[in-house]
Amino acid sequence: MNQTPEGTSETPPRAPAKFFTWRSLLFAVACFATLIALAYAEENWRGRRAWQAHCRQWEAKGEKLALAAVIPPPVPDDKNFALAPLLKPLLDLKQGPTGVVWRDTNGLERFGRFSALLIPKDGSKEALALGSLEKGTFADVASWAERYRRDTNSPAAGTGGSPAEAVLCALRQLDPDFSELREAAVSRPYSRFPVQYEAEPPFGVLLPHLGRLKPMATLLQVRATAELAGGLPMDAYQDVKLGLRISDSIRDEPIIISHLVRAATLGSVLQTVREGLRRHAWTDAQLAELQGSLASVNLLAEYKVAMRGERAGTVAELDYLRRHGNWGLDVEEFFSKGITSCERVLRFGPSGWIYQNMLTVSRICQEFTLPAVDEQAHRVSPEIAARAKRMLQASHGPYTLFSRLFQPSLEKVIQRSARMQSFVDAARVACALERYRLANNDLPDTLAALTPRFLERVPTDVIDGQSLRWRRVPAGGYVIYSVGWNQTDDGGAPGWNPADDSGIFGLLKEKHGAWVDPAKGDWAWVMPAD
């Protein structure tokens, strides 16, 4: 037994136990890192596996998930309307070290005149009073003439004559451009703008042609309406046909914004058709040709092309983020500074989460976006569109983060496509009614009287599948309408915001300060009394 120096026996004290040492701490960190690595590896494997299985399943059914599969095929250059001399400079560009460089700047400057003629030069901010399909209103040619006469740089400055003559004088500088396009429309039956669909990053694809086609279509509307007001219906009809060709030139582009511009330019044409119907300016032959042209417009099918393209583009964008890694990526290149959750996922999340978001985007498209529109049955389902909206709003977590960010307002895109298709269908009926009036000096009691001589069959409402509604308005004229997004027959009255209680007579009046809510009321094509 050990003894102390004093000769007493005592057990020496033990050193306190060390529960944490540098070695054990490093071991714990290593274990934790291993668990994280295993978790990342599993997420990456699960995400990649789920995405690949989804692709195999739907591609076997004919779906096109890859970006390359939705790009429209090339067309011969000499038959390509989009490569007509006037239009070719729009996408004749390259990415330089300081940004976009156009090869033909002189050709591009020609388009400045289109926009310039729509911008007020008198300091006012009010746009040209073009009339509105949605509101049932018509153009104010006299106000256009006053604007151009006040512009000291306009050829119409200080001119006399009728308002129509002043407007046509102001637009005369565009005659060579429209003549050139009219010739191209005849000699170039196809159209494909040389969009660089496979550029990276995919959301950086340049679409400068869209912003220039819209003013061109609007000015054709202005010119054609002035020609109608000035007693030149044949000239106006040629401009209507050119407007349709310009609108058709982008119908195959698999991009949502292209689809929306297509709908907007088509609206300009339809408004001009209304202007001619109001004046009884069109001949039976012209009306029959218009009916044939409008019958070929299938915005519901074009919507599906756009949405499949949007899905493929979104998937390609997410895959681009995955391939370029989390650490070397400049997040602000894709997202605004405020989206910190996206930054965290990109910088610290596993690539499997990117795959899971690709899967979510595609599933939303497959389960909601595409089924909401049945182009074969000529139907649109507000219920499916609403479910898609609710699903996106309820989506949370890393598997749905990018799907909420990248997906557009799907319900509004579907709604816009359906409403414009309704106007196209209504325009066909309106042309048939005018042909009936030309033949019988009166309107029929029912739309059934139009078939089969003036209309093969009455188009069905894209919302409920019944024939489009038609009624005479007590004040004179008539209204053709769909029950609209609320699926309720409101007698042809649009949904005004703020609320308007003027009833059916209000269809024929301008509502200053009011706007039409497409989710309320009916989608109405209104024609006033003579």
Side-chain angles (χ1 to χ4, degrees):
M1 180 179 293
N2 294 329
Q3 295 183 348
T4 63
E6 289 79 9
T8 61
S9 174
E10 185 177 330
T11 302
R14 296 180 180 178
K18 296 182 178 179
F19 294 100
F20 296 101
T21 65
W22 284 110
R23 182 177 297 177
S24 63
L25 181 61
L26 289 175
F27 178 75
V29 170
C31 290
F32 182 73
T34 301
L35 289 174
I36 294 294
L38 289 173
Y40 268 54
E42 182 182 4
E43 282 291 330
N44 292 342
W45 176 80
R46 289 176 62 222
R48 182 171 60 253
R49 182 171 177 269
W51 170 245
Q52 290 174 346
H54 177 82
C55 290
R56 287 193 299 270
Q57 175 190 357
W58 287 103
E59 287 176 347
K61 297 179 180 180
E63 280 296 332
K64 300 176 180 180
L65 305 183
L67 184 58
V70 301
I71 296 175
V75 299
D77 287 356
D78 62 336
K79 300 295 183 182
N80 189 354
F81 179 74
L83 293 185
L86 178 64
L87 301 177
K88 183 178 180 180
L90 291 179
L91 280 168
D92 190 9
L93 52 83
K94 62 180 180 179
Q95 288 280 5
T98 59
V100 179
V101 177
W102 270 269
R103 295 184 177 91
D104 185 359
T105 55
N106 291 331
L108 196 66
E109 285 179 0
R110 294 176 68 184
F111 283 88
R113 291 177 296 163
F114 292 96
S115 297
L117 284 167
L118 294 173
I119 299 173
K121 299 298 190 301
D122 55 8
S124 67
K125 296 182 180 180
E126 186 175 351
L128 290 174
L130 299 172
S132 168
L133 282 173
E134 291 83 359
K135 292 184 176 183
T137 57
F138 292 88
D140 185 354
V141 179
S143 69
W144 302 351
E146 288 305 309
R147 173 181 292 183
Y148 289 126
R149 283 169 173 155
R150 289 195 302 267
D151 180 4
T152 57
N153 294 320
S154 170
T159 60
S162 70
E165 291 171 339
V167 172
L168 293 175
C169 178
L171 302 184
R172 195 159 292 143
Q173 58 184 294
L174 301 179
D175 287 355
D177 299 321
F178 288 137
S179 294
E180 179 184 318
L181 282 180
R182 193 171 290 113
E183 293 175 6
V186 174
S187 61
R188 298 171 179 262
Y190 309 111
S191 181
R192 179 188 168 180
F193 283 91
V195 176
Q196 298 175 15
Y197 292 101
E198 296 180 291
E200 291 195 326
F203 277 11
V205 172
L206 299 174
L207 304 168
H209 61 304
L210 299 180
R212 291 174 170 86
L213 290 179
K214 182 60 174 69
M216 181 184 294
T218 302
L219 278 177
L220 273 171
Q221 175 186 351
V222 171
R223 192 169 85 153
T225 303
E227 288 163 342
L228 287 168
L232 302 170
M234 181 56 71
D235 293 343
Y237 184 69
Q238 294 302 319
D239 282 342
V240 166
K241 291 173 62 176
L242 181 56
L244 276 172
R245 187 68 185 95
I246 290 173
S247 180
D248 286 347
S249 70
I250 55 174
R251 67 181 179 185
D252 296 328
E253 293 186 0
I255 303 172
I256 281 181
I257 186 62
S258 298
H259 178 65
L260 295 177
V261 172
R262 152 71 161 162
T265 53
L266 191 57
S268 295
V269 174
L270 296 182
Q271 177 64 18
T272 310
V273 172
R274 286 183 69 235
E275 298 283 354
L277 289 172
R278 181 192 185 192
R279 295 172 173 84
H280 304 298
W282 310 125
T283 66
D284 182 80
Q286 290 170 342
L287 291 164
E289 186 177 6
L290 277 174
Q291 285 179 279
S293 298
L294 294 174
S296 68
V297 174
N298 190 340
L299 288 174
L300 304 187
E302 293 174 27
Y303 158 86
K304 286 199 167 181
V305 170
M307 297 313 299
R308 285 187 168 98
E310 199 70 19
R311 169 176 60 182
T314 301
V315 166
E317 179 74 6
L318 289 170
D319 192 56
Y320 175 85
L321 302 182
R322 180 192 63 80
R323 288 185 287 107
H324 284 73
N326 296 345
W327 292 99
L329 185 65
D330 180 7
V331 179
E332 292 183 9
E333 182 180 356
F334 305 99
F335 308 109
S336 67
K337 296 179 181 179
I339 309 177
T340 56
S341 58
C342 290
E343 294 183 17
R344 285 195 293 271
V345 170
L346 281 175
R347 297 212 182 277
F348 305 113
S351 62
W353 290 356
I354 303 292
Y355 279 119
Q356 293 286 2
N357 276 268
M358 292 160 63
L359 179 60
T360 301
V361 166
S362 188
R363 280 178 172 170
I364 290 173
C365 184
Q366 207 63 53
E367 297 173 13
F368 298 103
T369 309
L370 296 179
V373 172
D374 186 343
E375 74 277 21
Q376 299 298 327
H378 201 66
R379 292 289 301 278
V380 175
S381 172
E383 291 87 355
I384 296 178
R387 288 205 300 270
K389 181 179 180 179
R390 289 195 299 269
M391 187 268 190
L392 281 173
Q393 291 174 339
S395 297
H396 299 287
Y399 287 6
T400 61
L401 180 64
F402 296 117
S403 62
R404 294 187 67 191
L405 177 67
F406 281 138
Q407 291 295 296
S409 180
L410 298 177
E411 186 178 35
K412 291 190 180 299
V413 176
I414 297 170
Q415 191 181 90
R416 179 62 175 167
S417 302
R419 185 165 63 148
M420 189 53 67
Q421 183 65 57
S422 290
F423 284 132
V424 171
D425 296 339
R428 292 170 54 207
V429 175
C431 289
L433 286 168
E434 179 65 5
R435 293 177 65 197
Y436 185 98
R437 189 199 65 80
L438 288 172
N440 298 282
N441 200 32
D442 196 5
L443 293 175
D445 294 327
T446 67
L447 294 184
L450 299 176
T451 61
R453 179 181 174 185
F454 304 106
L455 192 64
E456 182 179 354
R457 62 180 181 83
V458 178
T460 55
D461 190 331
V462 297
I463 300 299
D464 67 2
Q466 299 183 34
S467 295
L468 283 175
R469 277 76 169 172
W470 175 79
R471 60 177 297 183
R472 295 196 185 199
V473 178
Y478 62 84
V479 56
I480 307 166
Y481 65 97
S482 157
V483 295
W485 204 247
N486 65 0
Q487 304 178 68
T488 302
D489 188 341
D490 294 304
W496 289 98
N497 277 327
D500 182 89
D501 58 2
S502 55
I504 193 69
F505 297 99
L507 291 172
L508 307 179
K509 298 192 299 181
E510 177 67 67
K511 307 287 197 307
H512 296 287
W515 59 282
V516 175
D517 186 345
K520 301 177 181 178
D522 296 332
W523 297 338
W525 173 286
V526 180
M527 291 301 299
D530 293 343

